[in-house]
Amino acid sequence: MYWHEEKECMGREELEQLQLERLQATIYRVATHVPFYRQKFKELNIDPDGFTSLEGLRSLPFTTKQDLRDNYPYGLFAVPLRDVVRVHSSSGTTGQATVVGYTGNDIKTWSSLTARVLTAAGVSKEDVVQIAFGYGLFTGGFGLHYGAELVGASVIPISSGNTRRQLQIMQDFRTTALICTPSYALLLADTIEELGIPLNAFSLKYGLFGAEPWSEAMRREIQEKLNIVATDNYGLSEVMGPGVAGECRERRGLHVNEDHFLVEIINPETLEPVAPGELGELVLTTLTKEAFPIIRYRTRDLTRLIEEPCPCGRTLRRIERITGRSDDMLIVKGVNVYPSQIENVIFEIEGTKPHYQIVVEREGRIDKITVLIEVVESIFFDEMRKQGRIIDTIKQKLASELGIGVEVKLVEEKSLGRSEGKAQRIIDNRKL
Ligand code: DLL
């Protein structure tokens, strides 16, 4: 049930010693090979040879997505292109693309870390793994593919899209583990229902979902509808791709592969560390990357660190599921609103579907949020009075959760766009 037992269950002291050695090597690497860091270290008077404890990390500069954009495409690479064997890129929802690279060793490390995540979720060489993440510049498909092969599973690299074909192959090839975004897993589950395929036509046991935020309620729904154990896994292109952190079968937080990544949780406004266990922005430093090491990368992802030991025996600390991003956080009428808060409310309401969209508009000087929620047919075609009652209930619950009033509109099933990759939940029409 472990992939690297000696690393995943390492004592803290030994782990910290390893982290320090690797951090020293990484700092040396970037100071020597990446002009951007050399310059920053010089400005801040940082001696790359002067690191004798992990505490020193806090004196290092942050790296942001903007820094990657400014150095597009290869400016932050720490090796010449001749040593790079793979390039991935993230288009991002806004702005210019960012590019990351991997050496042969990086690909080996990456594969072994996604193998850890897969093993922790229950996948073994006995499994047939269907990877419905895109294969391409996105890191999801290739990242998990190499790990699944390393584990020895039979991999179906179906890539994303073509939902009916996914389901046909899932039945015919007796897929036991499904890998995709949680929203696509729900779309697959809905399509199974719609086509009236009995669940016993499938051999599914596990689902590994990631690449976008989801909630406990969504997990329950996926687990029930597909009759699987669903685990969360996390990663980002700038740091590596999938394989940064993943849940074990306990499903209570994601173990971070701390022998390869240093974790900090900061207050995104003051940039100081938060108190232990407090919510804040995740900041990651790579410890073993050769082609694209990154120092104190501000992920913009919000989470908290769980210090308590996990019953699974891994000593790698856990982060709580990502609750949102500090930058897609909406500020409406001065109130911080996270899509996940809205999602939690919607999921508690009978008759709603797990498909919703949050539209933000500015009328005059006033911001207005409208939440569009798909509801089952019986409600959509119900009398106005009954619909009105449901809308009022949702409005009340949202108002008490968010602290501001929002408009709610019930829409017909399948009227909101579906995505085969990451779901688009927010439509911000304000010209801010
Ligand atoms: O989404 C890497 C990945 C692929 C992770 C497949 C897991 C599975 P990017 O496209 O660079 O990389 O997007 C990274 O997606 O900063 C988070 O905001 C979000 N994200 C990724 N995993 C999760 C998750 C991949 N489990 C960005 N929960 C990150 C919530 C996630 N958000």
Side-chain angles (χ1 to χ4, degrees), residues 16-296:
E16 285 182 357
Q17 185 54 38
L18 179 69
Q19 287 177 323
L20 178 60
E21 285 162 20
R22 290 180 166 178
L23 178 64
Q24 287 165 332
T26 299
I27 291 171
Y28 176 78
R29 172 178 285 275
V30 298
T32 317
H33 300 292
V34 187
F36 165 81
Y37 284 115
R38 194 181 314 128
Q39 180 62 27
K40 282 224 165 186
F41 289 179
K42 208 167 131 198
E43 279 163 25
L44 295 168
N45 250 333
I46 291 168
D47 171 12
D49 296 322
F51 275 86
T52 50
S53 86
L54 286 174
E55 300 301 304
L57 182 67
R58 282 185 55 190
S59 64
L60 294 176
F62 291 106
T63 310
T64 64
K65 191 148 194 130
Q66 192 56 45
D67 295 325
L68 269 73
R69 291 193 177 125
D70 293 345
N71 290 282
Y72 176 87
Y74 298 136
L76 295 183
F77 283 25
V79 296
L81 270 187
R82 93 176 80 84
D83 294 335
V84 169
V85 301
R86 177 96 64 82
V87 169
H88 282 283
S89 168
S90 142
S91 57
T93 37
T94 50
Q96 198 186 339
T98 52
V99 180
V100 294
Y102 305 77
T103 63
N105 275 336
D106 288 335
I107 296 287
K108 279 191 201 142
T109 308
W110 190 14
S111 313
S112 74
L113 294 184
T114 51
R116 273 191 198 176
V117 167
L118 285 148
T119 307
V123 174
S124 72
K125 62 194 302 182
E126 307 298 329
D127 284 292
V128 178
V129 178
Q130 183 161 338
I131 302 186
F133 272 129
Y135 280 67
L137 289 177
F138 175 56
T139 52
F142 280 104
L144 285 147
H145 179 103
Y146 276 58
E149 278 191 358
L150 191 61
V151 165
S154 317
V155 185
I156 309 171
I158 190 163
S159 196
S160 59
N162 204 338
T163 303
R164 289 194 181 208
R165 183 153 162 267
Q166 296 270 357
L167 293 176
Q168 193 63 53
I169 285 187
M170 204 181 280
Q171 292 172 77
D172 294 350
F173 295 8
R174 296 192 292 278
T175 300
T176 56
L178 170 67
I179 300 190
C180 57
T181 54
S183 57
Y184 193 54
L186 272 178
L187 175 60
L188 287 165
D190 285 348
T191 312
I192 291 174
E193 258 178 23
E194 210 177 279
L195 298 174
I197 312 173
L199 261 192
N200 64 15
F202 296 93
S203 314
L204 279 183
K205 292 196 285 189
Y206 315 112
L208 285 88
F209 306 118
E212 67 182 6
W214 49 316
S215 59
E216 244 353 269
M218 210 159 151
R219 179 190 337 247
R220 276 200 299 276
E221 178 149 8
I222 295 174
Q223 293 194 143
E224 265 167 38
K225 286 193 161 164
L226 292 176
N227 193 22
I228 55 171
V229 171
T231 49
D232 189 5
N233 71 95
Y234 168 83
L236 62 169
S237 338
E238 295 87 336
V239 169
M240 190 172 71
V244 174
E247 278 184 330
C248 61
R249 302 291 298 272
E250 298 290 325
R251 283 161 283 167
R252 273 180 277 165
L254 297 85
H255 291 280
V256 181
N257 286 318
E258 288 184 278
D259 48 335
H260 294 266
F261 310 102
L262 280 181
V263 185
E264 295 171 89
I265 311 277
I266 62 161
N267 175 325
E269 266 134 47
T270 62
L271 305 183
E272 291 298 318
V274 298
E278 219 176 82
L279 186 72
E281 180 180 327
L282 177 68
V283 171
L284 292 167
T285 300
T286 64
L287 294 174
T288 48
K289 290 270 294 292
E290 292 180 346
F292 197 87
I294 199 159
I295 306 287
R296 301 191 87 197

Side-chain angles (χ1 to χ4, degrees), residues 4-5 14 26 34 51 56 96 109 117 183 212 217-218 235 287 290-291 300 302 327-328 351 369 404 413 423-424 428:
H4 286 142
E5 182 167 356
E14 198 189 344
T26 299
V34 187
F51 275 86
Q96 198 186 339
T109 308
V117 167
S183 57
E212 67 182 6
M218 210 159 151
L287 294 174
E290 292 180 346
R300 299 286 178 177
L302 299 173
D327 58 355
D328 82 4
I369 299 187
I404 48 163
E413 270 191 81
Q424 199 194 355
D428 197 340

